[in-house]
Amino acid sequence: MFQLVQLMCIISTSTAVVERGFSTMNLLCSPLRSTFTQTKLTHLMLTCIEGLDLNDKTLEELCDAFKNRNQRKIML
């Protein structure tokens, strides 16, 4: 009986979480971006739903890495 009560506390009674997940997936998987692997899609969905926990140092390192990348745009 105790295990049933524990399961009732864990299982959500609403479908809001599932609907939010499908909404996020629909936003990420447009026809132009339909070639995501399952792993990449999972990571992107978790990032969109949960957000990133970045401290200032990590954010600065990411910005510096982005600045130091080679320019990929080719002027024709």
Side-chain angles (χ1 to χ4, degrees):
M1 189 63 144
F2 180 71
Q3 290 177 344
L4 289 175
V5 172
Q6 282 182 330
L7 283 174
M8 285 185 353
C9 292
I10 294 172
I11 297 173
S12 65
T13 57
S14 170
T15 61
V17 176
V18 176
E19 289 176 8
R20 189 178 316 125
F22 278 112
S23 269
T24 304
M25 185 178 65
N26 288 335
L27 289 173
L28 289 173
C29 287
S30 67
L32 296 175
R33 292 184 279 176
S34 62
T35 59
F36 285 147
T37 62
Q38 184 65 41
T39 306
K40 185 179 271 189
L41 181 62
T42 303
H43 290 305
L44 285 172
M45 285 180 63
L46 285 174
T47 302
C48 288
I49 293 171
E50 300 294 329
L52 286 176
D53 185 24
L54 296 175
N55 55 25
D56 291 335
K57 183 178 179 183
T58 306
L59 187 58
E60 286 180 21
E61 289 172 359
L62 288 172
C63 289
D64 290 339
F66 183 75
K67 286 181 207 174
N68 294 333
R69 290 179 61 183
N70 294 333
Q71 184 177 3
R72 296 176 186 262
K73 194 175 195 180
I74 299 172
M75 301 298 281
L76 297 175

